[in-house]
Structure formats: C-alpha cells, structure tokens
Amino acid sequence: MKQSKWSRTVSYVIVLLMLALYIFPLFYLFNVSMKTQTEYLIDPVALAQGFRLENFTEAWTRGNFSQYMWNSVLYTGLSTILTLILSIFAAFPLARRYVKFSTFLYVFFLVSMYLPNPLIPQFSLINSLGLYNTQTGYILLKTTGTGIAFLMFVGYIKSVSRELDEAAAMDGCGYTRYLFTILVPLMKPILATGVILTAIGVWNDIIGPTIYLSDPSYQPVTKGLFTFYGQYMNNWPLLACGILIVTLPLVVLYVVLQRFIVGGAMAGAVKS
C-alpha cells in the first residue's frame, strides 16, 4: 500500500521523537561525565567546557571496577548460560506437549513471574545450604529456567515443524543430541534475545549482591557506583562516568548479538 506524504511525515516525526527520548539521557550523562565537580555545581545542564577523559580513569580506579567487572562477567556469563540451557530443557517438552498437564504447567510458570520475589525463603535456603556469601551460591540463585527466556522459547519451539522430531527419532538421534544439534541452531534469533534479556537482569542487579554477598571482593560492578555517593555530597561527574562504564558492556553485547536478531527476523519474513 502506497504511503501518503502526510503519513510519511508523521511517521518520521514520531521516529525522531522516540530517538530523542532515548538519545537525550545518554547525551546528558556523557556531558556530565566530561565536567569537573565545580562545573557541575555551577550549572548542571550547561555543556561541558572540554573533554575530560581522565574522569573515566579516575572513576575506574576509585570505583575498583577492575575487580568488580570480573565478578560481574563471571556471574552474568555463567548465570546466562545455565539459564538458557535449563530453559531449553524445560520449554521443549512443554511446547511439544510431551508431558502431562503441559498447559497447566505453562500457565503456572507464567503466573509465577508476577509473584513477589521470595527474599526471606531464598535467604533461608541459601544460608542453610552453606552458600551464603559465596560466588557459587549467587550464581545458582540467579540461574532460572522459568523466566522470560523460557516463555519465549516455548512460543518459538511451537513454530518449529514437529516433523523434525519424528525424522530425528527415526534416524536414531537422542533427545539431548536433537536439542543441541538440530533445535538450538534453529533458535539463534530467540536465543540472542534470551541472552540479552537474561544478561541485563543479572548485570544490573543490585539488591541480590547487597543481600547475599557481604564480602566486598565478591561484589559485582554495580557496587562500584556506591563509591561516588557521600554523606553530604555526591561526585556527580565521576558517578556519570561509573554509570557509562557499567552500561558499556551491555551495549557491546547488544551490538554483537543484534545481527542475529535482525537476521532471524528477515529470514522469517521471507520464509514461505
């Protein structure tokens, strides 16, 4: 259908407005990170007088991001991998209805996402297992196979032809081998989305580490941001640098994976 000039103009205006809503906070954050504390206190919204990249070096050192960054990479990487593996094993039989009451179980998992986080039972369980203040305990705590990735996997697997299951079974392909050699390659677009959503949840978590990790050497990268908060005054330029440092790995992760998402969407659009 041919688009009119008026509707095309409205579309561009809406896109530009949405772009401004996303770009302006990032620009403001970067602008603050280029200021000195005095500059910021005089006029928080004025443009920075120069590029002070040394602010990032100071923020990296004062926030101890070298140690915290490694912890976050460890927590996020292992938790995301384990979460996706559990999600695949849980989603496939439910999507194919290979287990009884699969619809009820799916609805149960869906409803559980809207329930409050059981902090007290979780803390009691972690403590009784001797996993409090351990990296292993925190990784296991952040590993879940029934989150948003699980729900997306169920919907995606339903769109995969069931004849693949039968053909693989006739060829003697085992259950686990079928999942990881046939099904997983077909799930690249949704896997990329699952990686991003799961990684964001683990990387940005600040409540969990505060409760379950009392040892400062086990804290994730978000803990470094507290360095720039003071009792009487906050160092806003260094805090802005710290926020950008924390955000950058997730931006890189999205840039790396977005081609799988876009490629999968284009493949699906032309699929007959």
Side-chain angles (χ1 to χ4, degrees), residues 250-270:
L250 291 179
V251 175
V252 174
L253 178 65
Y254 177 78
V255 171
V256 171
L257 295 180
Q258 60 88 24
R259 64 188 183 92
F260 293 103
I261 300 174
V262 175
M266 293 300 294
V270 299

Side-chain angles (χ1 to χ4, degrees), residues 15-47:
V15 170
L16 290 175
L17 288 175
M18 294 297 296
L19 184 63
L21 288 176
Y22 282 96
I23 295 298
F24 178 77
L26 294 176
F27 171 77
Y28 178 75
L29 194 65
F30 180 78
N31 183 58
V32 171
S33 70
M34 293 292 104
K35 295 183 176 183
T36 63
Q37 179 75 340
T38 304
E39 258 186 85
Y40 178 83
L41 294 177
I42 292 174
D43 193 347
V45 297
L47 292 176

Side-chain angles (χ1 to χ4, degrees), residues 145-183:
T146 58
I148 186 64
F150 162 77
L151 299 179
M152 293 190 303
F153 289 176
V154 171
Y156 193 88
I157 292 173
K158 287 181 178 179
S159 66
V160 177
S161 175
R162 198 184 185 101
E163 295 176 354
L164 285 175
D165 304 0
E166 301 171 357
M170 293 179 63
D171 290 339
C173 184
Y175 185 80
T176 304
R177 182 183 175 190
Y178 171 75
L179 289 181
F180 289 99
T181 61
I182 298 178
L183 187 61

Side-chain angles (χ1 to χ4, degrees), residues 94 97-103 105:
L94 287 183
R97 299 182 183 273
Y98 290 154
V99 295
K100 293 183 178 180
F101 311 112
S102 57
T103 302
L105 292 175

Side-chain angles (χ1 to χ4, degrees), residues 91-213:
F92 179 72
L94 287 183
R96 290 292 196 249
R97 299 182 183 273
Y98 290 154
V99 295
K100 293 183 178 180
F101 311 112
S102 57
T103 302
F104 170 78
L105 292 175
Y106 178 78
V107 173
F108 175 80
F109 289 137
L110 178 63
V111 172
S112 67
M113 293 182 59
Y114 298 94
L115 297 178
N117 193 2
L119 289 177
I120 296 177
Q122 281 183 351
F123 182 84
S124 178
L125 177 62
I126 290 294
N127 195 36
S128 62
L129 292 175
L131 295 175
Y132 173 73
N133 195 32
T134 64
Q135 292 180 313
T136 301
Y138 182 69
I139 291 172
L140 292 177
L141 192 67
K142 299 305 295 182
T143 299
T144 171
T146 58
I148 186 64
F150 162 77
L151 299 179
M152 293 190 303
F153 289 176
V154 171
Y156 193 88
I157 292 173
K158 287 181 178 179
S159 66
V160 177
S161 175
R162 198 184 185 101
E163 295 176 354
L164 285 175
D165 304 0
E166 301 171 357
M170 293 179 63
D171 290 339
C173 184
Y175 185 80
T176 304
R177 182 183 175 190
Y178 171 75
L179 289 181
F180 289 99
T181 61
I182 298 178
L183 187 61
V184 168
L186 297 175
M187 296 175 60
K188 281 184 179 179
I190 203 68
L191 279 174
T193 306
V195 167
I196 292 174
L197 295 179
T198 306
I200 288 174
V202 179
W203 186 272
N204 290 335
D205 185 27
I206 188 60
I207 302 297
T210 303
I211 297 175
Y212 301 108
L213 298 173

